[in-house]
Short mmCIF file of all heavy atoms in Angstrom, two decimals:
data_model
loop_
_atom_site.label_atom_id
_atom_site.label_comp_id
_atom_site.label_asym_id
_atom_site.label_seq_id
_atom_site.Cartn_x
_atom_site.Cartn_y
_atom_site.Cartn_z
N HIS A 1 88.94 99.69 -53.07
CA HIS A 1 87.57 100.20 -53.04
C HIS A 1 87.19 100.34 -51.57
O HIS A 1 87.24 99.36 -50.82
CB HIS A 1 86.62 99.24 -53.76
CG HIS A 1 85.27 99.82 -54.00
ND1 HIS A 1 84.34 100.01 -53.01
CD2 HIS A 1 84.70 100.29 -55.16
CE1 HIS A 1 83.25 100.55 -53.52
NE2 HIS A 1 83.44 100.73 -54.82
N ALA A 2 86.80 101.54 -51.15
CA ALA A 2 86.53 101.81 -49.73
C ALA A 2 85.49 100.87 -49.14
O ALA A 2 85.62 100.44 -48.00
CB ALA A 2 86.08 103.26 -49.56
N ARG A 3 84.47 100.53 -49.90
CA ARG A 3 83.42 99.67 -49.36
C ARG A 3 83.82 98.20 -49.36
O ARG A 3 83.68 97.50 -48.37
CB ARG A 3 82.14 99.86 -50.17
CG ARG A 3 81.01 99.02 -49.66
CD ARG A 3 79.72 99.34 -50.37
NE ARG A 3 78.72 98.33 -50.07
CZ ARG A 3 77.74 98.01 -50.88
NH1 ARG A 3 77.59 98.61 -52.02
NH2 ARG A 3 76.89 97.08 -50.54
N PHE A 4 84.33 97.72 -50.48
CA PHE A 4 84.59 96.30 -50.62
C PHE A 4 85.91 95.85 -49.99
O PHE A 4 86.10 94.67 -49.73
CB PHE A 4 84.52 95.89 -52.09
CG PHE A 4 83.18 96.19 -52.70
CD1 PHE A 4 83.07 97.09 -53.75
CD2 PHE A 4 82.02 95.63 -52.20
CE1 PHE A 4 81.84 97.39 -54.31
CE2 PHE A 4 80.77 95.92 -52.74
CZ PHE A 4 80.69 96.81 -53.80
N CYS A 5 86.81 96.78 -49.72
CA CYS A 5 88.08 96.44 -49.08
C CYS A 5 88.06 96.66 -47.57
O CYS A 5 89.04 96.39 -46.89
CB CYS A 5 89.23 97.25 -49.69
SG CYS A 5 89.57 96.83 -51.42
N ALA A 6 86.95 97.15 -47.04
CA ALA A 6 86.84 97.38 -45.59
C ALA A 6 86.93 96.04 -44.87
O ALA A 6 86.28 95.07 -45.25
CB ALA A 6 85.52 98.06 -45.25
N LEU A 7 87.75 95.97 -43.84
CA LEU A 7 87.92 94.73 -43.08
C LEU A 7 86.88 94.60 -41.97
O LEU A 7 86.52 93.50 -41.59
CB LEU A 7 89.33 94.67 -42.49
CG LEU A 7 90.46 94.70 -43.52
CD1 LEU A 7 91.81 94.69 -42.82
CD2 LEU A 7 90.34 93.53 -44.49
N SER A 8 86.45 95.72 -41.42
CA SER A 8 85.43 95.68 -40.37
C SER A 8 84.81 97.07 -40.24
O SER A 8 85.33 98.04 -40.79
CB SER A 8 86.01 95.24 -39.03
OG SER A 8 86.85 96.24 -38.50
N ARG A 9 83.72 97.12 -39.52
CA ARG A 9 83.06 98.37 -39.21
C ARG A 9 82.70 98.33 -37.73
O ARG A 9 82.37 97.28 -37.21
CB ARG A 9 81.80 98.54 -40.05
CG ARG A 9 82.10 98.75 -41.53
CD ARG A 9 80.82 98.70 -42.36
NE ARG A 9 81.11 98.90 -43.76
CZ ARG A 9 81.46 97.92 -44.61
NH1 ARG A 9 81.56 96.69 -44.18
NH2 ARG A 9 81.71 98.19 -45.87
N THR A 10 82.78 99.46 -37.08
CA THR A 10 82.42 99.56 -35.66
C THR A 10 81.20 100.45 -35.54
O THR A 10 81.15 101.53 -36.11
CB THR A 10 83.59 100.14 -34.84
OG1 THR A 10 84.72 99.29 -34.97
CG2 THR A 10 83.21 100.29 -33.38
N TYR A 11 80.22 99.99 -34.79
CA TYR A 11 79.00 100.75 -34.56
C TYR A 11 78.92 101.06 -33.07
O TYR A 11 79.17 100.20 -32.24
CB TYR A 11 77.76 99.95 -34.98
CG TYR A 11 77.75 99.65 -36.45
CD1 TYR A 11 78.41 98.54 -36.96
CD2 TYR A 11 77.09 100.47 -37.34
CE1 TYR A 11 78.40 98.26 -38.32
CE2 TYR A 11 77.07 100.21 -38.70
CZ TYR A 11 77.74 99.11 -39.18
OH TYR A 11 77.73 98.85 -40.53
N ILE A 12 78.57 102.28 -32.75
CA ILE A 12 78.41 102.69 -31.35
C ILE A 12 76.97 103.15 -31.16
O ILE A 12 76.49 104.01 -31.90
CB ILE A 12 79.38 103.83 -30.99
CG1 ILE A 12 80.82 103.37 -31.17
CG2 ILE A 12 79.12 104.31 -29.55
CD1 ILE A 12 81.85 104.47 -30.98
N TYR A 13 76.31 102.57 -30.18
CA TYR A 13 74.95 102.95 -29.83
C TYR A 13 74.99 103.55 -28.44
O TYR A 13 75.47 102.91 -27.50
CB TYR A 13 74.01 101.73 -29.86
CG TYR A 13 73.95 101.10 -31.22
CD1 TYR A 13 74.81 100.07 -31.57
CD2 TYR A 13 73.04 101.55 -32.17
CE1 TYR A 13 74.76 99.50 -32.83
CE2 TYR A 13 72.98 100.97 -33.43
CZ TYR A 13 73.84 99.95 -33.76
OH TYR A 13 73.79 99.40 -35.01
N ARG A 14 74.52 104.76 -28.28
CA ARG A 14 74.58 105.44 -26.99
C ARG A 14 73.18 105.62 -26.44
O ARG A 14 72.29 106.12 -27.12
CB ARG A 14 75.27 106.79 -27.17
CG ARG A 14 76.72 106.60 -27.64
CD ARG A 14 77.37 107.90 -28.03
NE ARG A 14 77.46 108.78 -26.89
CZ ARG A 14 77.22 110.09 -26.96
NH1 ARG A 14 76.88 110.65 -28.08
NH2 ARG A 14 77.32 110.83 -25.89
N LEU A 15 73.02 105.20 -25.19
CA LEU A 15 71.74 105.34 -24.49
C LEU A 15 71.92 106.36 -23.37
O LEU A 15 72.87 106.27 -22.59
CB LEU A 15 71.29 104.02 -23.89
CG LEU A 15 71.19 102.82 -24.82
CD1 LEU A 15 70.74 101.59 -24.06
CD2 LEU A 15 70.25 103.10 -25.97
N LEU A 16 71.02 107.31 -23.28
CA LEU A 16 71.02 108.27 -22.20
C LEU A 16 69.91 107.89 -21.25
O LEU A 16 68.74 107.84 -21.63
CB LEU A 16 70.80 109.69 -22.74
CG LEU A 16 70.69 110.80 -21.71
CD1 LEU A 16 71.96 110.91 -20.89
CD2 LEU A 16 70.39 112.12 -22.41
N LEU A 17 70.27 107.58 -20.02
CA LEU A 17 69.30 107.10 -19.04
C LEU A 17 68.88 108.23 -18.10
O LEU A 17 69.63 109.16 -17.85
CB LEU A 17 69.89 105.95 -18.24
CG LEU A 17 70.43 104.78 -19.08
CD1 LEU A 17 71.06 103.74 -18.18
CD2 LEU A 17 69.33 104.18 -19.93
N GLY A 18 67.67 108.11 -17.59
CA GLY A 18 67.21 109.04 -16.57
C GLY A 18 66.48 110.26 -17.11
O GLY A 18 66.21 111.20 -16.36
N CYS A 19 66.14 110.29 -18.39
CA CYS A 19 65.37 111.41 -18.95
C CYS A 19 63.90 111.01 -18.98
O CYS A 19 63.52 110.06 -19.67
CB CYS A 19 65.83 111.74 -20.37
SG CYS A 19 67.44 112.53 -20.43
N ALA A 20 63.09 111.74 -18.26
CA ALA A 20 61.65 111.44 -18.24
C ALA A 20 60.98 111.93 -19.52
O ALA A 20 59.95 111.41 -19.92
CB ALA A 20 61.01 112.11 -17.03
N HIS A 21 61.59 112.91 -20.21
CA HIS A 21 61.01 113.47 -21.42
C HIS A 21 62.15 113.85 -22.37
O HIS A 21 63.24 114.24 -21.92
CB HIS A 21 60.17 114.71 -21.05
CG HIS A 21 59.37 115.23 -22.19
ND1 HIS A 21 59.83 116.23 -23.00
CD2 HIS A 21 58.14 114.88 -22.65
CE1 HIS A 21 58.91 116.49 -23.93
NE2 HIS A 21 57.87 115.68 -23.74
N HIS A 22 61.90 113.76 -23.68
CA HIS A 22 62.97 114.03 -24.64
C HIS A 22 63.52 115.45 -24.53
O HIS A 22 64.65 115.72 -24.93
CB HIS A 22 62.52 113.74 -26.08
CG HIS A 22 61.46 114.66 -26.59
ND1 HIS A 22 61.73 115.88 -27.14
CD2 HIS A 22 60.11 114.53 -26.62
CE1 HIS A 22 60.61 116.47 -27.49
NE2 HIS A 22 59.61 115.66 -27.18
N SER A 23 62.75 116.36 -23.96
CA SER A 23 63.23 117.75 -23.80
C SER A 23 64.37 117.83 -22.79
O SER A 23 65.07 118.85 -22.73
CB SER A 23 62.08 118.66 -23.37
OG SER A 23 61.60 118.27 -22.09
N GLN A 24 64.58 116.77 -22.00
CA GLN A 24 65.67 116.76 -21.01
C GLN A 24 67.00 116.32 -21.61
O GLN A 24 68.03 116.38 -20.95
CB GLN A 24 65.31 115.85 -19.84
CG GLN A 24 64.14 116.36 -19.03
CD GLN A 24 63.78 115.39 -17.92
OE1 GLN A 24 63.72 114.18 -18.14
NE2 GLN A 24 63.51 115.93 -16.74
N ILE A 25 66.99 115.87 -22.86
CA ILE A 25 68.25 115.46 -23.50
C ILE A 25 69.09 116.72 -23.72
O ILE A 25 68.59 117.72 -24.26
CB ILE A 25 67.98 114.76 -24.84
CG1 ILE A 25 67.15 113.49 -24.62
CG2 ILE A 25 69.28 114.44 -25.56
CD1 ILE A 25 66.67 112.83 -25.90
N PRO A 26 70.35 116.72 -23.31
CA PRO A 26 71.20 117.90 -23.54
C PRO A 26 71.20 118.28 -25.02
O PRO A 26 71.22 117.41 -25.89
CB PRO A 26 72.59 117.43 -23.08
CG PRO A 26 72.30 116.33 -22.12
CD PRO A 26 71.06 115.66 -22.63
N VAL A 27 71.18 119.57 -25.30
CA VAL A 27 71.04 120.05 -26.67
C VAL A 27 72.11 119.49 -27.60
O VAL A 27 71.83 119.18 -28.76
CB VAL A 27 71.02 121.61 -26.71
CG1 VAL A 27 72.37 122.19 -26.31
CG2 VAL A 27 70.57 122.10 -28.06
N PHE A 28 73.34 119.30 -27.14
CA PHE A 28 74.40 118.80 -28.00
C PHE A 28 74.36 117.28 -28.18
O PHE A 28 75.15 116.72 -28.93
CB PHE A 28 75.78 119.24 -27.48
CG PHE A 28 75.96 120.73 -27.56
CD1 PHE A 28 76.04 121.48 -26.40
CD2 PHE A 28 76.02 121.38 -28.79
CE1 PHE A 28 76.19 122.86 -26.46
CE2 PHE A 28 76.16 122.75 -28.86
CZ PHE A 28 76.26 123.50 -27.69
N GLU A 29 73.46 116.62 -27.49
CA GLU A 29 73.31 115.17 -27.61
C GLU A 29 72.07 114.78 -28.41
O GLU A 29 71.90 113.62 -28.74
CB GLU A 29 73.25 114.52 -26.22
CG GLU A 29 74.53 114.65 -25.43
CD GLU A 29 75.71 113.93 -26.06
OE1 GLU A 29 75.51 112.99 -26.86
OE2 GLU A 29 76.84 114.32 -25.76
N ARG A 30 71.21 115.74 -28.72
CA ARG A 30 70.00 115.42 -29.48
C ARG A 30 70.38 114.83 -30.82
O ARG A 30 71.29 115.29 -31.48
CB ARG A 30 69.14 116.67 -29.65
CG ARG A 30 68.59 117.10 -28.31
CD ARG A 30 67.47 118.09 -28.41
NE ARG A 30 67.08 118.43 -27.04
CZ ARG A 30 66.72 119.61 -26.66
NH1 ARG A 30 66.63 120.58 -27.52
NH2 ARG A 30 66.40 119.83 -25.40
N ASP A 31 69.69 113.81 -31.22
CA ASP A 31 69.93 113.07 -32.47
C ASP A 31 71.24 112.28 -32.45
O ASP A 31 71.65 111.74 -33.46
CB ASP A 31 69.92 114.00 -33.70
CG ASP A 31 68.59 114.69 -33.87
OD1 ASP A 31 67.55 114.07 -33.57
OD2 ASP A 31 68.58 115.85 -34.32
N LEU A 32 71.93 112.24 -31.30
CA LEU A 32 73.17 111.47 -31.19
C LEU A 32 73.06 110.31 -30.21
O LEU A 32 74.02 109.57 -30.03
CB LEU A 32 74.33 112.38 -30.78
CG LEU A 32 74.69 113.50 -31.75
CD1 LEU A 32 75.79 114.37 -31.16
CD2 LEU A 32 75.12 112.93 -33.09
N CYS A 33 71.93 110.19 -29.54
CA CYS A 33 71.75 109.11 -28.59
C CYS A 33 70.27 108.77 -28.50
O CYS A 33 69.42 109.48 -29.03
CB CYS A 33 72.30 109.49 -27.21
SG CYS A 33 71.42 110.85 -26.41
N TRP A 34 69.98 107.70 -27.84
CA TRP A 34 68.60 107.28 -27.61
C TRP A 34 68.34 107.39 -26.12
O TRP A 34 69.18 106.97 -25.31
CB TRP A 34 68.41 105.85 -28.10
CG TRP A 34 67.04 105.28 -27.89
CD1 TRP A 34 65.85 105.90 -28.10
CD2 TRP A 34 66.72 103.97 -27.41
NE1 TRP A 34 64.80 105.06 -27.80
CE2 TRP A 34 65.32 103.86 -27.37
CE3 TRP A 34 67.50 102.88 -27.02
CZ2 TRP A 34 64.67 102.70 -26.95
CZ3 TRP A 34 66.85 101.73 -26.62
CH2 TRP A 34 65.44 101.64 -26.59
N ALA A 35 67.23 107.97 -25.74
CA ALA A 35 66.89 108.15 -24.33
C ALA A 35 65.62 107.36 -24.02
O ALA A 35 64.52 107.90 -24.02
CB ALA A 35 66.70 109.64 -24.02
N PRO A 36 65.77 106.06 -23.75
CA PRO A 36 64.59 105.25 -23.45
C PRO A 36 64.03 105.62 -22.07
O PRO A 36 64.77 105.92 -21.14
CB PRO A 36 65.11 103.82 -23.46
CG PRO A 36 66.56 103.95 -23.11
CD PRO A 36 67.00 105.27 -23.68
N ALA A 37 62.70 105.59 -21.98
CA ALA A 37 62.07 105.86 -20.69
C ALA A 37 62.28 104.66 -19.77
O ALA A 37 62.53 103.55 -20.23
CB ALA A 37 60.58 106.10 -20.90
N GLY A 38 62.20 104.88 -18.51
CA GLY A 38 62.33 103.78 -17.57
C GLY A 38 63.51 103.98 -16.64
O GLY A 38 64.24 104.96 -16.73
N GLY A 39 63.68 103.02 -15.79
CA GLY A 39 64.71 103.09 -14.77
C GLY A 39 66.03 102.52 -15.23
O GLY A 39 66.30 102.41 -16.43
N PRO A 40 66.86 102.12 -14.28
CA PRO A 40 68.19 101.61 -14.60
C PRO A 40 68.12 100.30 -15.39
O PRO A 40 67.13 99.57 -15.33
CB PRO A 40 68.83 101.37 -13.22
CG PRO A 40 67.75 101.54 -12.22
CD PRO A 40 66.56 102.16 -12.87
N LEU A 41 69.17 100.04 -16.13
CA LEU A 41 69.26 98.82 -16.93
C LEU A 41 70.03 97.76 -16.17
O LEU A 41 70.91 98.07 -15.36
CB LEU A 41 69.95 99.11 -18.26
CG LEU A 41 69.27 100.15 -19.15
CD1 LEU A 41 70.14 100.45 -20.37
CD2 LEU A 41 67.90 99.67 -19.57
N ASP A 42 69.73 96.50 -16.43
CA ASP A 42 70.43 95.38 -15.82
C ASP A 42 71.64 95.05 -16.69
O ASP A 42 71.56 94.24 -17.61
CB ASP A 42 69.48 94.19 -15.70
CG ASP A 42 70.08 93.03 -14.93
OD1 ASP A 42 71.33 92.96 -14.80
OD2 ASP A 42 69.30 92.17 -14.46
N ILE A 43 72.77 95.71 -16.41
CA ILE A 43 73.96 95.57 -17.24
C ILE A 43 74.46 94.12 -17.29
O ILE A 43 74.75 93.61 -18.37
CB ILE A 43 75.09 96.52 -16.76
CG1 ILE A 43 74.61 97.97 -16.76
CG2 ILE A 43 76.34 96.36 -17.60
CD1 ILE A 43 74.15 98.50 -18.10
N PRO A 44 74.57 93.40 -16.16
CA PRO A 44 75.01 92.00 -16.24
C PRO A 44 74.10 91.15 -17.14
O PRO A 44 74.59 90.33 -17.93
CB PRO A 44 74.98 91.52 -14.79
CG PRO A 44 75.18 92.77 -13.98
CD PRO A 44 74.44 93.84 -14.76
N ALA A 45 72.80 91.35 -17.06
CA ALA A 45 71.88 90.59 -17.92
C ALA A 45 72.07 90.96 -19.38
O ALA A 45 72.01 90.10 -20.27
CB ALA A 45 70.43 90.83 -17.49
#
């Protein structure tokens, strides 16, 4: 059974940084990533 025999699932969340407005998201990336407002992220944190 595809659902009950699955051993794991992988989820990918993509953030697009540096867009001041959603209209700046590249057309082929719309609905495929999240573009939060604000500056750079603290990756180590």
Side-chain angles (χ1 to χ4, degrees):
H1 192 287
R3 181 174 168 208
F4 301 117
C5 293
L7 300 178
S8 70
R9 292 171 180 86
T10 300
Y11 297 86
I12 299 173
Y13 299 92
R14 297 171 63 221
L15 305 179
L16 176 61
L17 305 177
C19 288
H21 189 266
H22 67 84
S23 64
Q24 294 177 316
I25 299 172
V27 68
F28 294 112
E29 295 296 338
R30 292 195 182 143
D31 299 325
L32 297 176
C33 65
W34 178 43
L41 300 174
D42 187 340
I43 302 301

